[in-house]
Amino acid sequence: MVSGIPLFPEQASTLAPEVDNLYFFVTAVTAFFALLVVVVVLVFAVKYRDRTGEKVGAPIHGSLPLELGWSIIPFFISMAIFAWATLVFFHIVRAPDQTLEVYSTGKRWMWRFQHIDGQAEINELHVPLGRPIRVIFTSEDVLHSLYMPAFRVKADAIPGRYSSIWFTPTQVGEFHLFCAEYCGTRHSGMIGRVVVMEPNEYQAWLSGGGSGMSMAARGEQLFQQLGCVGCHLPDGSGRGPSLLGKYGIQETLATGATVTIDDTYVRESILTPQMKLVAGYGPVMPTFQGLVNEQGVMSLIEYVKSLPRTGGPPAAAQASAAGAPAAAPAQGPR
Amino acid sequence: MTTTVLPRVTYLNVRTTVASWLLTKDHKRIGILYLLVVSFAFLLGGIFAAGVRIELTTPEGDFVSADTYNRLFTMHGVAMVFFVLIPAVPAILGNFAMPLMIGARDVAFPKINLLSWYVFVIGFLFTLAAMLFGGVDTGWTFYTPYSSQASNSNVLLTGIGVFIAGFSSILTGLNFMVTIHRMRAPGMTWFRLPLFVWALYATSLVQILGTPVIAITVLMLALERALGFGIFDPRLGGDPVLFQHLFWFYSHPAVYIMILPPMGVISEVLACFSRKSIFGYSFVAFSSLAIAVFGFLVWAHHLFVAGISPYSAMVFSFLSFAVAIPSAVKTFNWAATLYRGAIWWRAPMIWVFGFIGLFLVGGLTGLFLASLGLDVHLHDTYFVVAHFHYIMVGGAIMGYFAGLHYWWPKITGRMYSNGLGTLAAMLVFVGFNLTFFPQFILGYLGMPRRYHAYPEEFQVLNVLSSAGASLLGIGYTLIACYLLYSLWKGEEAGANPWGATGLEWKTQSPPLPENFAQTPIVREGAYEYAKRETKVA
C-alpha cells in the first residue's frame, strides 16, 4: 500500500484495541478463505483449460464427505467469530458502574452536550483522559447516530428514547465525532470533535465558563417551577409518590409489572405519565409534553438522581458534590 | 461456427407490429420488454451514481448542493434496487429462459405475466415522475421519522411507485412457482431441473412471502406522512424503530431476491463451460432454499445500534452467521466443479470467474458486519456500502451479465464479439475492485455513508474509488455497444453455440414462438456432459 494512506483509525479508547484485534482476526480468517478459493479456481481454470470446447469433463457428481466438511468447518469457524464478537459487543454496550455522565441531544444539524456541572457545548465534547465517560442522548427530531470512530463506539439517537455510549479515552487529543445516521440536508455537517484532556486541564476547563448552575440544580428549579413539588412530597403523603431514593430501584406498577427506575422511565413519567403508573397512585398527573424540553427533562432526571435515599429536604448541591450512592454516581470517585 | 441460415419463423419475426409487442403473451418477448425498461433504469441509476462519485472526489461539497447530493444517492438506490436488481435476473433472464429450460410452451399464466410487466412499468413511471418533479432525499431505506415528517421531497410519489412495482414482483413469483410445479416437460423431475430453475423457485418463495410486507410498510408510511397517523413518529405515539423492523423484514430477504437468481445463472454457465455436472447438485439446489428460508430470520442485523436489546442482537448475529453457510457451500461446490473439467474460456465464463471473485469478497465481508463487536464501529460507514455493492453489483450484476452473455445467442440468434465480451468482463472486474475496495478501508477508518462533504484525510481513497467508477462506466458502455452491434452484424449463432445440455439449446435460435416443435422428453439430469456423444453442434 502507498504510505500516506491510513488503513486504520487511531486507537484512542480502551475498547479500540479490543475491536481492532477482533478485526485483524476476522480479516485473517476471511482473507485465508478468499485466497484459498481464488487460488483453487485459478489453478483449475488454467490446468483444465480446453481451447477447443470439444472435450468433456470427468464424470464427477459430488462427494458427501467434502460437502459435510465444507459445511461443518466453516460453521465452527464462524461460531468462534460469533462468540468473540459477542463478548466484545457486551463490553461495548455495558458501561462500567462508575462513569462520568454527559447528556446530549442531537438536532438537525448539531450535537449539544450538557455536562452535569452545568457547562453546555455544541459539536464539541471535552472529556478527561483515563476516566470512563458515558454519554446519554436522544434526538429532538429525526434519527441521528452518535459516532466516535477513534473510540469505536456508535449508537443511534432516537426521538422518544435514550441511548448511550461509553468509552475510556486513552490518548490526549482531538478526535472526530460524526452523525452516522442520515438526517437530511446537512447530515455531513453534523460533525464535531471530542477533545480529550489531561484530568487537571479538564478540571480547569470545567471551572471556566459555563452557566454556573449544575444540571441537578437546574432540575430542582424546574421541579419547583413546573409544580411537581406540589404532588411529589418528600414524605410520600402527596398525590404522587415521593421521589427520594427512587432512582435505580425496582418499582411495582399498577399493572403488576415491575420496572427499573432509570433515565428512560423518568423521562416517560414526565412526558407520558399515564403509561406506567406506580401501584397505589391514580392517573392524575398531566403530561408535561411541550412544557419542558429535552434538556429540561435531562436536568429533571439528574435532579431525581441527586435526591438522597431517605428523609430530609432535597439537597441538589450537596448530592452533586458528594455523589449519591444509590444513583449511578455522577461525579463519584473512580 | 455453424453456417446455418437464421430460422424463418421465430418469436421475434412472427409479428412485428408495436401492438404485437405491447400485447404479447409470449414469455420470451415479455423478457425483452423487461430488458428494455431495466436497461433504462440501469442507465439512470448509473448517471446518479456518476454524480455521487464526482462530488466525492473532493472533500468539500462543491460539485452539487447538499440537497442535490442527497437526492442523487437516494435516486441511485431506488432505481438500482427496485427497478434493476430485483427484476434483472428473474424478470429478464428468468422470463426468457425458464419455460424453455423446463420444456414448457410458456409460463402458467401468460396474461398475468404481461400484467406483471405493465404493473412494473406503471410503478416505474410513478418513481420516474417523482425523480422529474424534484426527486426524493430519504435514502432508499425511507427511514422514519425523517421520511414521514421531515423530508421536503417526493416521498409519497416514490413510495407509490415502489408499492406498485412490488405487485409485479409478487405476480412474477407466483407465476414462476406455478409454472415450475405444473409445466415441466415429461421426464423433467425435480432433480433433473437446471439449478437456475431451483434458484428461481427459491426466489419466488421470497417474492411471494416478503413483498407484501414492504407494500404494507410503505402504505403505513404514506398514511403517516399524508394523514398524520401515528405509527412511526414518536410525537404521535409511534415508534421509529418499528419501521426499520418492517422495512428490513422485506429488504433483507430482498437481497436474496437479487442474489439467488444470479447464483442460479452461475451454476448454468459454470457447468456448460466446464463440460461437467455441477459438483453436489442437490447441495447447491437445497442451499438456495435454505438461503431463502434463513433469509427471513436475519433482518434485525441492520439494527444492532438502533437500540434493540443486546440479547436479541445476539440471536440475530447468530442467525446471520448461519445464513452464510449455504452461500459458502455453493461457492465451494462451484470451485470443485472446475476440478477435472474441460474448461472453455468464453466470455460468459470470464464473467463467472469475475462473479466468484467479487461474491467471495462480498460474502466474507458480511461476516464482519454479522459480528456484533465489529458492526458497532462499521455500521452506517462506507464498509457497509462496499460490502453490499460487492454482493449486489459484484454478485448480482456480474451474474446477470454472465447470463446475458450466455443466453444472448439464444435470445437474438446472433453472436457478439467474444474478445470484447472478455475485455468488458475484465474491465468491469478491475473497475469494480478499484471503486469499492478502497471503501472498505474508508469504512474502517470511520467515514460515515451518505456524506456530501468529508474530512480531508479521506480524499485519496475517495479519488481512487471515483477513478474505478469511471472504468466501470466504460465497461458497461462497452457491453451495450457490442451487444447492440451484434444485432446487425453478429454471426449467426445456431441452435447451440456453446454445446450446452439444457433444453433451451435444443430448439432453434431465436426459438419458435411456441418454443419447441414437439414437446421435449427428458431422460437424464441437467448437466450430463460426460455422457454426450456429439460434442459441439
Side-chain angles (χ1 to χ4, degrees):
Chain A
M1 262 300 176
V2 187
S3 66
I5 303 179
L7 296 179
F8 307 102
E10 287 172 286
Q11 290 184 336
S13 75
T14 52
L15 293 170
E18 279 191 55
V19 173
D20 287 356
N21 290 342
L22 176 62
Y23 178 73
F24 296 140
F25 174 70
V26 181
T27 305
V29 171
T30 52
F32 170 77
F33 277 99
L35 280 178
L36 180 77
V37 174
V38 167
V39 168
V40 165
V41 166
L42 287 181
V43 166
F44 288 170
V46 173
K47 184 170 177 197
Y48 301 115
R49 181 171 181 184
D50 165 34
R51 288 170 193 273
T52 62
E54 310 262 323
K55 292 186 196 150
V56 294
I60 303 170
H61 286 87
S63 148
L64 187 62
L66 270 180
E67 298 290 347
L68 291 177
W70 62 46
S71 307
I72 293 168
I73 294 171
F75 179 76
F76 281 109
I77 293 173
S78 71
M79 283 304 102
I81 300 175
F82 164 72
W84 185 350
T86 304
L87 286 176
V88 173
F89 178 67
F90 276 86
H91 288 173
I92 295 173
V93 292
R94 292 264 161 86
D97 288 339
Q98 307 264 311
T99 53
L100 170 61
E101 293 182 358
V102 181
Y103 287 85
S104 173
T105 47
K107 185 182 178 178
R108 289 189 294 159
W109 290 279
M110 62 168 96
W111 294 101
R112 183 181 189 279
F113 293 95
Q114 172 78 57
H115 295 262
I116 308 244
D117 281 357
Q119 286 81 353
E121 38 184 346
I122 301 286
N123 291 343
E124 274 198 10
L125 172 61
H126 288 75
V127 290
L129 181 73
R131 250 180 99 176
I133 317 288
R134 193 158 85 100
V135 187
I136 301 158
F137 55 99
T138 187
S139 161
E140 292 188 27
D141 41 40
V142 299
L143 298 174
H144 302 283
S145 190
L146 187 56
Y147 179 32
M148 300 168 188
F151 306 145
R152 314 286 188 274
V153 290
K154 178 191 293 126
D156 287 359
I158 302 163
R161 44 168 118 162
Y162 287 130
S163 311
S164 72
I165 55 175
W166 82 273
F167 53 90
T168 304
T170 54
Q171 202 179 315
V172 169
E174 293 184 3
F175 305 98
H176 285 301
L177 175 164
F178 292 129
C179 175
E181 182 63 68
Y182 176 68
C183 57
T185 310
R186 296 224 321 111
H187 168 53
S188 65
M190 194 167 164
I191 63 176
R193 56 191 188 134
V194 185
V195 182
V196 179
M197 311 168 87
E198 294 289 354
N200 55 342
E201 286 174 34
Y202 172 71
Q203 281 307 327
W205 177 85
L206 267 188
S207 35
S211 66
M213 189 187 271
S214 73
M215 281 183 78
R218 168 87 187 118
E220 183 175 13
Q221 208 174 49
L222 280 169
F223 198 73
Q224 308 281 350
Q225 282 168 5
L226 295 168
C228 317
V229 68
C231 294
H232 293 285
L233 300 178
D235 59 3
S237 66
R239 292 202 290 165
S242 159
L243 303 181
L244 294 193
K246 288 290 165 62
Y247 189 86
I249 66 160
Q250 296 262 323
E251 188 73 277
T252 309
L253 299 182
T255 57
T258 55
V259 65
T260 306
I261 312 278
D262 57 6
D263 298 344
T264 301
Y265 179 75
V266 178
R267 181 182 191 281
E268 282 174 358
S269 301
I270 296 167
L271 300 178
T272 52
Q274 317 282 336
M275 295 274 281
K276 292 175 184 170
L277 286 171
V278 171
Y281 292 90
V284 291
M285 179 171 159
T287 173
F288 285 81
Q289 191 106 48
L291 297 175
V292 56
N293 62 17
E294 291 289 353
Q295 280 118 41
V297 173
M298 287 169 171
S299 296
L300 283 165
I301 291 170
E302 202 46 42
Y303 170 66
V304 172
K305 279 187 191 175
S306 76
L307 292 171
R309 212 169 230 302
T310 47
Q318 163 208 331
S320 76
Q331 295 272 36
R334 287 173 55 200
Chain B
M1 277 303 130
T2 50
T3 49
T4 47
V5 181
L6 274 188
R8 212 167 294 160
V9 180
T10 73
Y11 79 101
L12 290 172
N13 67 11
V14 63
R15 278 186 216 88
T16 52
T17 60
V18 173
S20 79
W21 277 89
L22 292 180
L23 297 175
T24 184
K25 288 176 298 229
D26 182 338
H27 66 99
K28 303 181 286 302
R29 285 190 164 203
I30 292 171
I32 288 178
L33 291 177
Y34 272 109
L35 175 68
L36 298 176
V37 182
V38 169
S39 301
F40 178 68
F42 189 62
L43 175 67
L44 210 58
I47 291 170
F48 295 140
V52 167
R53 282 318 325 167
I54 293 171
E55 173 61 68
L56 294 178
T57 50
T58 57
E60 304 81 25
D62 44 13
F63 174 63
V64 291
S65 72
D67 277 325
T68 308
Y69 178 81
N70 294 341
R71 283 164 166 74
L72 283 174
F73 76 68
T74 300
M75 297 188 298
H76 167 69
V78 170
M80 290 301 200
V81 168
F82 296 106
F83 299 98
V84 178
L85 290 163
I86 288 176
V89 177
I92 299 172
L93 300 176
N95 252 320
F96 180 86
M98 188 271 283
L100 286 164
M101 293 170 88
I102 63 171
R105 291 192 137 200
D106 207 318
V107 292
F109 307 112
K111 284 181 189 160
I112 291 181
N113 203 16
L114 180 64
L115 177 68
S116 297
W117 183 75
Y118 276 99
V119 169
F120 178 71
V121 169
I122 292 167
F124 185 55
L125 288 177
F126 269 96
T127 308
L128 213 53
M131 291 170 177
L132 288 176
F133 298 147
V136 57
D137 74 343
T138 59
W140 79 276
T141 46
F142 305 111
Y143 272 14
T144 55
Y146 182 74
S147 58
S148 63
Q149 300 296 337
S151 170
N152 293 314
S153 64
N154 298 314
V155 180
L156 275 182
L157 211 50
T158 313
I160 293 170
V162 168
F163 179 82
I164 295 174
F167 286 93
S168 157
S169 188
I170 297 172
L171 291 175
T172 301
L174 205 65
N175 216 338
F176 281 14
M177 191 171 267
V178 177
T179 305
I180 296 168
H181 270 280
R182 307 293 304 164
M183 307 285 284
R184 284 172 284 131
M188 180 60 91
T189 60
W190 284 91
F191 289 97
R192 286 177 182 169
L193 282 176
L195 288 163
F196 181 53
V197 179
W198 272 102
L200 286 176
Y201 187 87
T203 308
S204 302
L205 199 71
V206 183
Q207 286 176 308
I208 293 169
L209 296 178
T211 316
V213 180
I214 189 81
I216 294 162
T217 312
V218 171
L219 196 66
M220 288 196 283
L221 171 62
L223 288 176
E224 178 163 301
R225 188 173 166 92
L227 304 172
F229 280 40
I231 304 170
F232 305 122
D233 186 353
R235 283 177 301 172
L236 305 170
D239 179 358
V241 181
L242 174 65
F243 177 87
Q244 298 180 28
H245 281 287
L246 291 169
F247 179 82
W248 289 112
F249 186 84
Y250 164 74
S251 295
H252 196 80
V255 174
Y256 300 111
I257 297 179
M258 301 172 206
I259 194 67
L260 279 170
M263 284 170 158
V265 170
I266 296 309
S267 296
E268 295 304 313
V269 181
L270 195 73
C272 170
F273 292 95
S274 316
R275 306 302 192 206
K276 262 190 81 205
S277 183
I278 282 286
F279 195 88
Y281 170 97
S282 53
F283 286 88
V284 177
F286 281 113
S287 65
S288 288
L289 290 180
I291 290 171
V293 173
F294 277 121
F296 276 106
L297 305 175
V298 299
W299 77 90
H301 67 208
H302 297 268
L303 281 76
F304 288 158
V305 298
I308 64 171
S309 125
Y311 295 104
S312 81
M314 222 173 112
V315 172
F316 281 104
S317 169
F318 170 79
L319 291 166
S320 305
F321 277 104
V323 80
I325 303 297
S327 301
V329 166
K330 272 189 200 283
T331 310
F332 292 135
N333 277 300
W334 288 327
T337 300
L338 295 170
Y339 174 68
R340 293 182 57 203
I343 298 158
W344 195 23
W345 293 22
R346 301 258 95 188
M349 191 62 166
I350 308 302
W351 285 94
V352 170
F353 290 144
F355 170 97
I356 293 176
L358 300 182
F359 178 72
L360 258 179
V361 177
L364 289 168
T365 50
L367 298 180
F368 289 75
L369 298 169
S371 303
L372 287 170
L374 293 178
D375 186 66
V376 171
H377 177 57
L378 295 173
H379 183 77
D380 271 331
T381 67
Y382 262 87
F383 193 96
V384 177
V385 176
H387 160 70
F388 72 70
H389 279 90
Y390 265 86
I391 295 286
M392 292 182 182
V393 188
I397 296 293
M398 291 295 274
Y400 165 65
F401 280 123
L404 193 65
H405 284 79
Y406 180 59
W407 282 302
W408 187 260
K410 182 56 64 180
I411 296 171
T412 64
R414 293 188 181 268
M415 299 300 288
Y416 50 86
S417 154
N418 183 62
L420 288 177
T422 306
L423 177 69
M426 295 195 301
L427 262 182
V428 167
F429 183 80
V430 172
F432 181 89
N433 279 306
L434 188 56
T435 309
F436 292 103
F437 202 83
Q439 296 186 6
F440 284 122
I441 301 168
L442 277 173
Y444 202 73
L445 285 172
M447 179 169 166
R449 61 193 285 204
R450 297 175 171 174
Y451 262 33
H452 171 232
Y454 56 84
E456 270 178 29
E457 70 250 36
F458 300 140
Q459 187 176 10
V460 177
L461 290 163
N462 270 298
V463 169
L464 284 178
S465 184
S466 296
S470 18
L471 266 186
L472 261 184
I474 295 169
Y476 291 139
T477 312
L478 181 62
I479 301 168
C481 294
Y482 64 74
L483 287 185
L484 288 175
Y485 180 80
S486 78
L487 291 180
W488 284 276
K489 300 284 186 177
E491 263 185 81
E492 288 157 20
N496 192 0
W498 311 124
T501 51
L503 290 184
E504 75 271 32
W505 302 104
K506 299 230 173 357
T507 185
Q508 62 182 34
S509 306
L512 292 167
E514 65 274 22
N515 290 353
F516 301 97
Q518 290 126 17
T519 304
I521 294 169
V522 183
R523 294 201 171 80
E524 58 182 22
Y527 310 109
E528 296 294 349
Y529 286 91
K531 287 187 195 164
R532 219 171 33 184
E533 289 158 25
T534 50
K535 307 295 187 224
V536 178

